[in-house]
């Protein structure tokens, strides 16, 4: 077994590993997305299918899954307006409103009753200022697998926040998407690879091992 694969296998102990999906919601990566270019890229690249494969494997092996969802109240109360991204989102034809279809996890990803869904009303990061970090600590997480969208903003935020909080980040490069398509591999190679363990979906799946359930 190659040493790099062995190191990955050691990191991915199901007891101390958590899989995070970032903004894999219908209003972002679904057919009626507010961001159709990103949705197309997530699907055509195979990233969304790979995320679904990882989630299914996590359910089978006892790896905890957390789905991080970005949403806003209909009145926008508490939402950021301090960047162009937020102001542009307010004008999109599809809004990520709490309680709507847009903020449900998108197929083909399946949500089990053991999964945790964390919803945020503000900011750019699925970890900073949300329940994700305390949940990870209570779960005994040491390794966080980061998947989802977008490679432009939320994914790097998640990886940096995880590393800053002492977690080891694993990024399956083919389970992350951003726009334009050529940006994602460049960002992973030149930025995330400096702070995270970069692998493929198949490598992660191969390392998860025999089914074990959390107590």
């Amino acid at each position: 077994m190659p040493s790099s694969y062995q190191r990955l296998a050691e990191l991915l102990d199901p007891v101390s590993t958590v899989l995070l999906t970032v903004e894999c919601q219908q209003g972002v990566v679904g057919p009626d997305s507010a961001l159709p270019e990103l949705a197309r890229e997530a699907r055509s690249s195979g990233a969304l299918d790979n995320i679904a494969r990882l989630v299914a494997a996590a359910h089978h092996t006892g790896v905890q899954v957390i789905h991080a969802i970005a949403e806003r109240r209909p009145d926008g109360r508490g939402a950021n307006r301090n960047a162009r991204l937020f102001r542009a989102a307010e004008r999109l034809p599809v809004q990520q409103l709490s309680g709507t279809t847009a903020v449900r996890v998108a197929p083909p990803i399946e949500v089990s009753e053991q999964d945790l869904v964390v919803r945020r009303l503000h900011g750019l990061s699925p970890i900073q200022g949300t329940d994700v970090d305390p949940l990870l600590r209570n779960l005994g997480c040491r390794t966080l697998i980061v998947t989802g969208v977008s490679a432009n903003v939320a994914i790097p935020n998640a990886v940096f926040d995880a590393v800053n909080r002492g977690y080891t980040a694993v990024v399956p490069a083919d389970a992350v998407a951003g726009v334009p398509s050529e940006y994602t591999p460049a960002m992973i190679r030149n930025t995330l690879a400096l702070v995270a363990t970069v692998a493929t979906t198949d490598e992660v799946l191969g390392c998860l091992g025999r089914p074990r359930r959390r107590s």
Side-chain angles (χ1 to χ4, degrees):
M1 179 182 292
S3 59
S4 59
Y5 189 85
Q6 180 63 44
R7 287 195 297 270
L8 180 63
E10 291 170 356
L11 289 176
L12 295 176
D13 179 356
V15 175
S16 57
T17 297
V18 173
L19 172 63
L20 179 70
T21 76
V22 178
E23 297 183 28
C24 294
Q25 56 206 73
Q26 294 197 39
V28 176
V29 296
D32 298 319
S33 169
L35 303 164
E37 184 182 3
L38 178 59
R40 285 193 299 271
E41 179 61 25
R43 292 178 177 274
S44 64
S45 68
L48 197 59
D49 286 335
N50 285 331
I51 296 165
R53 292 170 63 209
L54 288 164
V55 169
H59 292 160
H60 181 63
T61 58
V63 169
Q64 179 66 56
V65 179
I66 298 179
H67 303 282
I69 302 296
E71 59 182 51
R72 58 185 285 124
R73 288 167 49 109
D75 61 8
R77 190 176 298 272
N80 288 67
R81 294 185 176 84
N82 58 333
R84 187 176 69 175
L85 176 67
F86 301 121
R87 295 190 294 272
E90 291 179 347
R91 300 190 295 271
L92 291 174
V94 177
Q95 294 290 307
Q96 314 298 319
L97 299 181
S98 303
T100 67
T101 301
V103 296
R104 294 178 186 170
V105 175
I109 299 169
E110 294 187 359
V111 181
S112 80
E113 61 182 19
Q114 288 80 27
D115 293 359
L116 298 169
V117 180
V118 176
R119 303 179 181 278
R120 78 176 194 272
L121 293 171
H122 60 85
L124 298 170
S125 172
I127 297 178
Q128 170 66 32
T130 75
D131 287 338
V132 170
D133 183 37
L135 289 173
L136 293 176
R137 297 194 181 280
N138 290 345
L139 291 162
C141 176
R142 299 187 65 177
T143 299
L144 185 65
I145 304 171
V146 179
T147 68
V149 297
S150 72
N152 305 78
V153 178
I155 295 299
N157 264 267
V159 172
F160 290 139
D161 286 345
V163 172
N164 284 334
R165 285 160 175 76
Y167 304 106
T168 297
V170 172
V171 178
D174 53 355
V176 169
V179 291
S181 58
E182 61 270 19
Y183 175 75
T184 300
M187 187 277 297
I188 291 173
R189 181 174 61 253
N190 294 298
T191 301
L192 297 191
L194 302 177
V195 296
T197 297
V198 177
T200 66
T201 294
D202 285 343
E203 287 171 338
V204 172
L205 292 174
C207 289
L208 288 180
R210 294 178 301 175
R212 281 185 283 178
R213 295 292 174 186
R214 291 179 182 269
S215 58

